Amino acid sequence: MTDVATRVRTAAVSLRGAALRFGERTLWEGLDLDVEPGEFLAVLGPNGSGKTTLLRVLLGLQPLHAGQVLIGGQPPARGSGAIGYVPQQKALAEDLPLRARDLVGLGLDGHRLGIGLRGRSVRRERVRAALESVGAGHYANAPVGRLSGGEQQRLRVAQALVGDPSVLLCDEPLLSLDPQSQSATTALVDQSRRTGDTAVLFVTHEINPVLPYADRVLYLAGGQFRVGTVDEVLTSRTLSEMYRTPVEVIRSNGRILVAGPAEISAP
């Protein structure tokens, strides 16, 4: 008979009693959160609320001040193959001597010396498959600095996915992208979590491109947090409580607008 415990999936990301502080200021504390395999979690909140710092904790770059964090049941570790990371979109230098496929390949061995045990043919096939999965196969040999912002961001997604991670962390990947590229980038991330059962934590100020895909929202603000569905968290009442001032959430034609204090970066 199958043991019940073997049928219970380990959370991709688990936080218990987690707390982070910046000097004397508490970013958040008492955070209990499980992100399941294949779940898309949008991480929202104003600048300085600890969104990027949370990703640094999961990457093993920043310790918690209190509580516990586990990635697939294990403590986070720098350079872990279990995690893929998509950084903020920043234009690459036009004269950067790197081809698209070289950039993606760094996701396999960028932190190692040489090709290692993967072998050249295996590595080549993994990179090719990652490029094709994001629709970038036709510019595999193009210099990365000459590609558009949207094309470069497709490569960053491919780079994050090439190692087949169980968790994908996205840190403001829609910054500086036009609306079409924002939608395309978010759709690529969603496709990866559906095909690979990858848990996604997606930090963004641009909530509307994420609305069709987010299973839940983690909203950080004023030393507090709320976790729930979009309809549960993004309400006038909830955000007014968190900011301790009136905030109005307006829904129109499938979009969400937030009107309130200046520190709110409205989605």
Side-chain angles (χ1 to χ4, degrees), residues 13 24 33 39 94 112 139 247:
V13 174
E24 298 298 317
L33 174 69
E39 183 176 6
E94 190 171 324
R112 301 183 180 92
Y139 53 85
V247 175

Side-chain angles (χ1 to χ4, degrees), residues 15 20 22 27-28 50-64 69 71 76-79 83 85 88 169-171 201 203:
L15 292 143
L20 266 181
F22 185 76
L27 297 177
W28 34 267
K51 303 186 300 299
T52 293
T53 311
L54 171 61
L55 299 192
R56 287 179 55 80
V57 168
L58 302 180
L59 288 166
L61 303 176
Q62 168 86 36
L64 289 169
V69 56
I71 306 294
R78 296 187 184 207
I83 293 181
Y85 176 63
Q88 295 183 11
L169 306 179
C170 303
D171 187 11
L201 283 82
V203 171

Side-chain angles (χ1 to χ4, degrees), residues 129-206:
L131 284 163
E132 292 293 339
S133 74
V134 300
H138 60 289
Y139 53 85
N141 292 312
V144 293
R146 298 181 185 176
L147 299 174
S148 69
E151 289 170 334
Q152 290 180 4
Q153 201 63 336
R154 282 177 180 267
L155 297 179
R156 291 187 177 95
V157 174
Q159 183 188 65
L161 295 175
V162 70
D164 194 24
S166 58
V167 178
L168 182 61
L169 306 179
C170 303
D171 187 11
E172 295 282 9
L174 307 182
L175 278 179
S176 304
L177 294 180
D178 59 70
Q180 182 177 357
S181 295
Q182 288 182 349
S183 296
T185 298
T186 310
L188 287 174
V189 170
D190 180 69
Q191 174 184 310
S192 72
R193 63 104 174 203
R194 292 183 183 278
T195 58
D197 207 26
T198 308
V200 173
L201 283 82
F202 198 103
V203 171
T204 183
H205 283 103
E206 303 287 345

